[in-house]
Amino acid sequence: MSQTRMTALVTGASAGIGKAFADVFAKYGFNLILTARREDKLRDVATALEAKHRIKADVIAADLADPAAPEKLVADIRSRGLQVDALVNNAGYGVPGAYGATAWNDQKAFIQVLVTAPCELAHRLLPDMVARKKGYIINIASVAGMVPGSVGHTLYGASKSFMVQFSRSLHLENEGTGVNVTAVCPGFTFSEFHDVTGTRAQVSKMPSYMWMTAEAVAEEGYQAVMRNKAVHVNGNVNKGIVLLAKYLPDSVGLMIMRARSKDVRAQ
Ligand SMILES: NC(=O)c1ccc[n+]([C@@H]2O[C@H](COP(=O)([O-])OP(=O)(O)OC[C@H]3O[C@@H](n4cnc5c(N)ncnc54)[C@H](OP(=O)(O)O)[C@@H]3O)[C@@H](O)[C@H]2O)c1
């Protein structure tokens, strides 16, 4: 195995879009550091991708809801003598229910996993990328971050809007440094997401043209960060939705979301 390979750290690599990103980065010759909570799943992914792409895959299990996790993860990576050339901030889920009816600790953990941990990982890993004049940061956002808010999963869209805007700023700040930063915005994607978030019954009613595979999302995301695109919306249907949302008056957008929320969110 080559010592000169670059290495990609993928969060939420035990399933869905993260697992697909790990596959794509390995296909293009990156070694991997895979993280999520389920170590057994991560080890299965690592073994399969090492055999498939003849790369090296390290596994570091971590619960990103723990505020100490990002610092510890980066320390573990360094203590193994590894460096991170590409960061894929992907781990995520949704908290069902109306905001006031949920437990604050669940919302707090959500913000930690979907907002604070990705920001901290980028903050801790970016300086070395800049020093090496090469690096890639992908923040997995969502179409949900680019359309009006919806009922239920209240902080989900807000967290994804945050990731889009954070990525845009980081992208601009790093122009000329050799570090590419991209927000990737998938729409409905086949993964474990809708089982975990309790929305499987609702989203099963969505027409098939609304759906993409995790593999297609990851391939597009990889190509987008290599081209240093600030924001990439996956697929033509999602691009159309985002374009429409941009030009609709907010009141009309909210009216549509009021009517459609029950189709996509557990409330
Ligand atoms: N699927 C969609 O329709 C869709 C659309 C737009 C955006 N997205 C975004 O895409 C990303 C990936 O979602 P997915 O669809 O691939 O969902 P998924 O299949 O449910 O995978 C989610 C991943 O996040 C990890 N994760 C969840 N909580 C974690 C925690 N506390 N600490 C560490 N890892 C954690 C899970 O691993 P463990 O359970 O092993 O920890 C899993 O690997 C998310 O950011 C999601 O918001 C998804």
Side-chain angles (χ1 to χ4, degrees):
M1 283 176 201
S2 166
Q3 295 302 303
T4 58
R5 286 182 189 278
M6 289 193 284
T7 299
L9 166 64
V10 183
T11 73
S14 60
I17 295 171
K19 185 174 157 186
F21 263 102
D23 194 359
V24 168
F25 271 89
K27 179 175 85 175
Y28 289 109
F30 282 72
N31 285 330
L32 299 169
I33 303 165
L34 306 176
T35 188
R37 291 165 302 182
R38 290 171 293 176
E39 192 165 353
D40 53 339
K41 296 258 181 208
L42 290 174
R43 292 213 177 278
D44 290 348
V45 175
T47 305
L49 295 183
E50 281 185 337
K52 185 175 173 189
H53 299 296
R54 305 193 62 73
I55 51 95
K56 183 175 173 301
D58 275 69
V59 165
I60 306 178
D63 182 351
L64 292 176
D66 174 1
E71 184 174 6
K72 185 171 179 311
L73 179 59
V74 172
D76 281 0
I77 289 168
R78 292 190 175 136
S79 72
R80 292 176 189 213
L82 300 170
Q83 71 178 36
V84 176
D85 302 286
L87 165 65
V88 184
N89 274 319
N90 163 79
Y93 60 100
V95 178
Y99 193 58
T102 58
W104 172 244
N105 279 345
D106 291 343
Q107 299 293 354
K108 196 171 152 186
F110 174 87
I111 296 169
Q112 185 64 38
V113 176
L114 276 94
V115 178
T116 311
C119 290
E120 185 173 348
L121 287 173
H123 189 265
R124 289 186 180 281
L125 296 169
L126 179 64
D128 284 353
M129 293 183 188
V130 172
R132 292 193 297 268
K133 299 187 173 57
K134 199 171 178 64
Y136 305 94
I137 297 177
I138 293 177
N139 292 318
I140 304 301
S142 171
V143 167
M146 304 189 88
V147 300
S150 69
V151 182
H153 298 221
T154 324
L155 292 181
Y156 187 77
S159 74
K160 296 304 189 181
S161 298
F162 180 103
M163 291 313 286
V164 171
Q165 204 64 335
F166 168 52
S167 304
R168 283 182 173 133
S169 293
L170 207 58
H171 173 93
L172 288 179
E173 256 176 48
N174 282 281
E175 277 176 351
T177 65
V179 179
N180 296 1
V181 181
T182 300
V184 173
C185 302
F188 292 109
T189 307
F190 296 111
S191 71
E192 294 179 3
F193 184 86
H194 299 100
D195 302 310
V196 175
T197 56
T199 51
R200 179 62 61 200
Q202 287 102 318
V203 297
S204 296
K205 295 175 203 144
M206 302 305 284
S208 58
Y209 64 80
M210 299 284 293
W211 289 86
M212 285 182 73
T213 63
E215 291 71 22
V217 166
E219 179 68 37
E220 281 189 14
Y222 179 89
Q223 299 301 341
V225 82
M226 290 297 145
R227 291 199 311 275
N228 200 19
K229 206 174 162 192
V231 180
H232 179 76
V233 178
N234 291 98
N236 289 333
V237 172
N238 295 324
K239 284 187 178 76
I241 292 169
V242 167
L243 195 69
L244 194 65
K246 194 169 170 178
Y247 292 108
L248 276 181
D250 208 37
S251 56
V252 178
L254 285 174
M255 193 176 75
I256 294 170
M257 292 309 283
R258 185 183 296 117
R260 304 298 298 177
S261 285
K262 64 182 183 322
D263 298 338
V264 295
R265 297 275 186 261
Q267 295 167 23

